[in-house]
Amino acid sequence: MSNLKSKFFEVYDVLKAELLKDKAFDFTKDSCQWVERMLDYNVPGGKYEIFLACVLGWCIEWLQAYFLVLDDIMDNSHTRRGQPCWFRQPKVGMIAVNDGLLLRNHIGRILKKHFVEFQTTYGQMIDLITTHLGQKDLSKYSLDDHRRIVVYKTAFYSFYLPVACALLMAGENLDNHSDVRSILLEMGNYFQVQDDYLDCFGDPEVIGKIGTDIEDFKCSWLVAKAMELCTEEQQKLLYENYVQAVLKSFLAKIYKRHK
């Protein structure tokens, strides 16, 4: 149990450090020290339930601290967890009201950061694993795999997140806008399909880069779709020529035949 508690506190230290370095807050040296002292005083000290997701566990502790800091002020309490209430600390007083609101806003910052990074990192993981499998067997590449990579690696971060943040700022419940989520993820998928096509056939002088998806053995939309459309003979040629520049003209012939 002590080892689990130690790991739980390691997560707290990471979260605290992230918040103190958050560029959304223009901290001065004094304000940074204040927030760090305020966090250390109010957030640790609860029951320390060990959650499977430590980040979510600490968000609960942050939420509890937010409630307690404000509740102590309203109740004019004297002690909390065996020590003086935060607002009764020297030079704190009613600044604790703003500190309580700061605690509440920290939760959103933590969830936003770690939710998005998890989605993107998960997509990157699928991409790397699929590429590794495809190097051994191209039949592992499918449109379902490609879409799964795109949704997590690109669509969530680049398309859904900005709109979701705008909805939250407008006071909307994201659960009431599942259609928005679906549309934006489709837009992300459409964008990536176009990007994959341009990576292969786009003029580097126009798109600003030299495409390397084929050379890198990526599970791009082009090869996934080719695996769906090609004959057994074409599939054999695809296996033999993947990663080679000649594949670009070969892929073009497959798509032209199926238009």
Side-chain angles (χ1 to χ4, degrees), residues 193-220:
V193 170
Q194 284 188 315
D195 191 70
D196 287 356
Y197 179 86
L198 292 174
D199 185 273
C200 183
F201 300 115
D203 184 344
E205 292 186 5
V206 175
I207 65 176
K209 66 176 183 178
I210 299 176
T212 61
D213 282 354
I214 290 175
E215 289 83 348
D216 293 340
F217 239 111
K218 290 294 183 181
C219 177
S220 74

Side-chain angles (χ1 to χ4, degrees), residues 78-209:
H78 287 269
T79 59
R80 170 69 65 182
R81 296 172 179 168
Q83 58 187 4
C85 297
W86 174 242
F87 80 97
R88 292 190 178 278
Q89 286 292 298
K91 300 182 180 181
V92 177
M94 289 302 101
I95 297 176
V97 174
N98 188 71
D99 288 339
L101 296 175
L102 188 60
L103 285 165
R104 174 64 184 84
N105 280 277
H106 278 169
I107 297 170
R109 300 297 299 179
I110 292 171
L111 290 176
K112 175 185 172 183
K113 174 180 175 61
H114 288 275
F115 172 76
V116 174
E117 286 196 347
F118 171 76
Q119 300 286 6
T120 306
T121 304
Y122 181 57
Q124 181 70 14
M125 179 188 70
I126 298 173
D127 188 11
L128 294 172
I129 291 175
T130 305
T131 299
H132 177 70
L133 293 174
Q135 290 176 336
K136 299 176 180 178
D137 183 359
L138 278 182
S139 66
K140 301 295 183 182
Y141 287 167
S142 70
L143 290 177
D144 285 341
D145 289 326
H146 178 265
R147 180 180 177 81
R148 191 175 297 110
I149 293 169
V150 171
V151 164
Y152 287 103
K153 187 177 178 181
T154 303
F156 264 113
Y157 179 74
S158 298
F159 289 82
Y160 178 61
L161 177 63
V163 177
C165 288
L167 287 171
L168 289 172
M169 290 176 67
E172 295 288 331
N173 185 338
L174 294 183
D175 291 338
N176 297 331
H177 297 282
S178 58
D179 53 338
V180 173
R181 180 178 182 272
S182 298
I183 291 170
L184 290 168
L185 293 185
E186 274 304 316
M187 288 175 62
N189 187 55
Y190 179 67
F191 165 82
Q192 191 61 52
V193 170
Q194 284 188 315
D195 191 70
D196 287 356
Y197 179 86
L198 292 174
D199 185 273
C200 183
F201 300 115
D203 184 344
E205 292 186 5
V206 175
I207 65 176
K209 66 176 183 178

